[in-house]
Amino acid sequence: MAAQQKSSVKRDISRRVNLSFGAIVLLGAAIVIKAGMTQANDGERLRAQANRSFSDIETLYPDRGNIYTEEGKILSATIPKFDLKMDLSVINKDTFYNNVDTLCDALATILKDETAGSLKQRMKEGFRRKSRYWTLKNKVAYYDYQLIRNLPLLRKPKNKGGFMPEPQMKRMNPYGMLAYRTIGLWRENAQIIGLEKSYDTELSGRTGTRIIHKVGGQWVPLVGSEIEAVEGHDIVSTIDIDVQEVTEHALHDIMAQYECLQGTAIVMEVETGKIRAIANLGRQKNGEYWEDFNYAMIPSEPGSVFKLMSLYALLEDGYVNANTIVSCNGGQMRFGTQTVRDDHGGLGSITVEKAFAQSSNVAFASLVNKYYHDNPMKYIKHLQHLGLNQKTNLDLAGERKPLIKTPESKSWNKITSLPWIGYGYESMITPLHTCMVYNAVANNGKMMQPYLVSAVKEDGKVIRQIEPKVLIEKIGKESTIKQLQQVTRAVVREGTAKAAQSPFYTAAGKTGTAQVADKIGDVFYSYADGVKQGSFVGYFPAEKPRYTIAVVIRSKPHGVYYGAALGVPVFKAIADKLYTTKIGGWKVDADSLGKDKMLVAKAAPPGQLQYLLKMLGYTSYQENSNAMLSFLQNDAQHKLKIASKEVKTNIVPDVVGMGIKEALYLLENAGLKVHISGAGSVNRQSIPAGSNYKKGQTINLELS
């Protein structure tokens, strides 16, 4: 019995062992089969995934090209910051310990945000661990990097000193918000605007790559794996920063005075079509003004400045000339159920020239209706010939297409559309279009393509020159052009733009006023809301034009809106600046400026004062030609003396009111690092005058 039970237990154990063994064999076979299937189906993917866990390909980004003016001033630049890394594993032990004390003392002096003791402790710990990607400091300024790279140990070759600086680029506009919508803004992983967007391909260059391996939990570049990035090209803009500055200031002053909603001003060079300035300002909710939108490229109903285009058609077809008599019908005329009225009412029968100079709506609505009522397309084709139905194709992103109605348009009205277009309504064109047409009149009929970039450069050499482009060699007959020039001069001489007159130069142009019915910001305004558009488009000097200036401003509801009040003062301020700086200056005796008045000059280096006095025809003498700063005074014999101004050492000088050149001269000589924002003279300094400072300390200057 016992033997039988024992035999039964053995059989049971044997069966279990066999079952377990069979299960293990089957499981092993399943694993092998699964491994084979995985190898066949997913092997390549899984191997790549495993490799990525320990190695990867890193993108190397190139330096973005700079944007310059034709005078060589930087409008937008890439400023390098450096992440300073070290491969401490390659440094010889004796070399490391012989240099670490001196190195950390120097680094602490330059970087200022970590003590020498702390740096030494961190570096020794990294060396002990043989760290191959040790971080010294991130985002180090270029001038500090230049000092650090020449320190002991760090100036050795990479395979002996282990120094691995990694540049990180930051985009900077030295003139702040000046021409912001035109120059544009480049930010990584954000929307690009302006020339930064239009010329992004040229500016951005070509990326490179390198392989990086994970070693000790850190990613380290594989030496020799780099495919270098190709730096971006530089572009040269036609923007003149001095003209841009006065354009923005003049526009801002008038808009702020009358609390206007938005405005734009364009300065175009007559012969070439180069845009020398574009200013765009919009009123914000807090009452301040900001370059929030490129209004120069947004179509709107132009108002009375469009009468030039209507007169162009009438002259080309021989229906009128400047001396043709036209009836203004006492200042109003009905077309169907609608009435056209003159802002300057009461006019009777006058010449076309006077109707243009006095901006009679009735005259131009009636003339266009009279001669083109039976054939509207004859008139419309003249407008199309001027390019008013197409984009200007300015090399700037964001331009919207204009609208010139035809009889085929759904909104065309057989009774009112033609006369309304004739005096500036039911058409939508941009201020840039208007500027382009008036520029063609100033240029004796030659219409130029407006443009903003004149060259593309690589390493300082021009690789692509962008030449002026003629769109239309002659927009009309010689007699048409001469009469258009004649009537635009009459507007300034005796019409609605008398305020544009100057004793030093002649000007020509046209004022305009239009009711507004569209969206401004987040608000839609109807005609009943009383928002109007005042404009002035003109050129000067009238006898030999150099510049065309277009100014278009939206009033606040029921505010001041006439082109003579809004557009003309902006034109005049810009033209005055251009005349004094670009054309030839005032025709006055400079010496007479100081004969009956005390001559006053800001403190400046003595050589500059001496040059200024010489140019004004004054004789003077210097008491100390080596002085850092001087000022003017009369001596006991009433002779003009350039006297030395005391500049105290070890305290911050007062540079408020100085030009940037003089301010930099003083501050950099004092050993300060200067950071500048804005343009013009110094309005504020971050470290008060008279304060103590340390050499190498940064001072911020705000210019205005």
Side-chain angles (χ1 to χ4, degrees), residues 90-387:
V90 302
I91 305 174
N92 176 273
K93 183 177 181 179
D94 290 339
T95 302
F96 178 80
Y97 284 106
N98 286 338
N99 286 281
V100 67
D101 290 341
T102 304
L103 177 62
C104 289
D105 287 341
L107 287 170
T109 302
I110 296 170
L111 298 176
K112 297 183 177 64
D113 59 352
E114 189 174 5
T115 64
S118 173
L119 264 172
K120 194 184 306 179
Q121 185 178 351
R122 282 203 306 118
M123 191 174 287
K124 284 183 176 179
E125 176 61 22
F127 184 75
R128 186 187 64 77
R129 291 188 289 105
K130 297 295 181 183
S131 177
R132 298 185 62 185
Y133 204 58
W134 182 79
T135 299
L136 171 57
K137 187 180 178 182
N138 292 330
K139 297 181 179 179
V140 174
Y142 178 73
Y143 43 81
D144 286 337
Y145 161 70
Q146 290 290 84
L147 296 172
I148 290 170
R149 67 184 295 199
N150 290 310
L151 293 178
L153 188 62
L154 303 186
R155 60 174 171 251
K156 288 180 176 291
K158 182 178 176 180
N159 62 345
K160 293 183 179 180
F163 189 41
M164 299 189 300
E166 297 182 350
Q168 308 293 332
M169 300 304 165
K170 180 183 177 182
R171 203 66 171 168
M172 184 189 77
N173 293 23
Y175 293 95
M177 298 310 296
L178 204 66
Y180 165 71
R181 297 298 308 191
T182 305
I183 298 167
L185 182 66
W186 181 88
R187 294 169 295 173
E188 194 171 1
N189 301 319
Q191 183 182 11
I192 312 174
I193 61 173
L195 293 176
E196 292 275 15
K197 180 176 182 179
S198 301
Y199 288 84
D200 184 54
T201 302
E202 286 87 349
L203 290 165
S204 59
R206 191 172 68 243
T207 58
T209 59
R210 68 180 176 186
I211 298 172
I212 53 176
H213 284 302
K214 185 175 280 188
V215 178
Q218 293 181 318
W219 289 101
V220 180
L222 180 64
V223 176
S225 67
E226 295 92 346
I227 298 175
E228 293 187 0
V230 178
E231 293 185 3
H233 295 146
D234 298 328
I235 64 172
V236 179
S237 173
T238 62
I239 290 290
D240 184 311
I241 208 66
D242 295 327
V243 180
Q244 180 71 33
E245 184 175 20
V246 72
T247 301
E248 288 193 17
H249 282 223
L251 183 65
H252 178 275
D253 289 348
I254 288 298
M255 291 183 65
Q257 180 180 346
Y258 296 113
E259 299 179 348
C260 300
L261 297 180
Q262 66 185 46
T264 185
I266 306 164
V267 180
M268 182 184 291
E269 198 171 77
V270 170
E271 291 187 2
T272 63
K274 290 181 179 180
I275 300 294
R276 293 307 190 183
I278 301 183
N280 297 282
L281 295 177
R283 185 177 174 87
Q284 308 304 301
K285 291 180 180 179
N286 62 1
E288 294 182 356
Y289 288 94
W290 188 259
E291 276 233 350
D292 57 354
F293 210 71
N294 203 332
Y295 300 110
M297 301 169 69
I298 305 302
S300 64
E301 291 179 302
S304 294
V305 293
F306 200 79
K307 290 169 184 169
L308 180 92
M309 292 66 153
S310 293
L311 182 55
Y312 158 78
L314 291 161
L315 292 170
E316 274 294 278
D317 290 331
Y319 293 134
V320 302
N321 60 48
N323 297 317
T324 299
I325 300 298
V326 58
S327 174
C328 299
N329 207 41
Q332 62 180 25
M333 180 177 287
R334 289 186 69 79
F335 294 87
T337 60
Q338 303 295 316
T339 302
V340 174
R341 292 182 174 85
D342 284 339
D343 287 330
H344 317 283
L347 297 174
S349 294
I350 55 177
T351 64
V352 166
E353 178 180 313
K354 188 170 183 180
F356 190 86
Q358 296 299 326
S359 200
S360 171
N361 298 333
V362 171
F364 282 88
S366 63
L367 284 171
V368 170
N369 189 64
K370 176 181 177 180
Y371 291 109
Y372 297 105
H373 182 271
D374 295 331
N375 187 4
M377 278 308 298
K378 187 175 183 181
Y379 168 72
I380 298 299
K381 284 180 179 178
H382 286 296
L383 305 182
Q384 293 173 342
H385 176 65
L386 294 174

Side-chain angles (χ1 to χ4, degrees), residues 503-666:
F504 306 107
Y505 58 82
T506 55
K510 181 74 183 74
T511 57
T513 305
Q515 297 183 75
V516 172
D518 61 13
K519 192 174 183 180
I520 302 175
D522 298 326
V523 181
F524 183 85
Y525 293 92
S526 68
Y527 290 135
D529 290 316
V531 175
K532 297 188 179 181
Q533 182 169 282
S535 54
F536 180 75
V537 187
Y539 54 90
F540 82 103
E543 65 279 358
K544 192 176 181 182
R546 291 276 301 276
Y547 298 96
T548 300
I549 303 170
V551 183
V552 181
I553 299 175
R554 295 281 181 89
S555 75
K556 68 178 182 180
H558 308 292
V560 172
Y561 61 86
Y562 282 116
L566 298 180
V568 171
V570 179
F571 171 91
K572 186 70 163 52
I574 300 169
D576 284 352
K577 175 71 172 182
L578 287 168
Y579 184 77
T580 57
T581 59
K582 306 293 181 181
I583 295 180
W586 306 109
K587 299 173 184 176
V588 295
D589 182 4
D591 187 55
S592 66
L593 297 174
K595 283 183 176 177
D596 299 320
K597 297 179 181 179
M598 181 183 295
L599 193 65
V600 179
K602 292 179 181 177
Q608 293 185 19
L609 291 178
Q610 185 70 48
Y611 177 79
L612 175 63
L613 293 172
K614 182 179 178 181
M615 294 301 292
L616 291 173
Y618 284 92
T619 57
S620 63
Y621 67 94
Q622 295 175 230
E623 66 175 18
N624 180 8
S625 61
N626 295 317
M628 185 174 291
L629 209 61
S630 297
F631 65 101
L632 295 181
Q633 67 175 201
N634 289 320
D635 65 11
Q637 286 76 42
H638 300 288
K639 291 182 179 179
L640 200 59
K641 179 173 72 170
I642 300 176
S644 300
K645 183 177 177 65
E646 182 183 4
V647 179
K648 295 181 180 179
T649 57
N650 300 321
I651 66 168
V652 177
D654 184 2
V655 297
V656 172
M658 290 186 183
I660 188 57
K661 185 176 180 180
E662 291 74 24
L664 283 172
Y665 179 73
L666 276 180

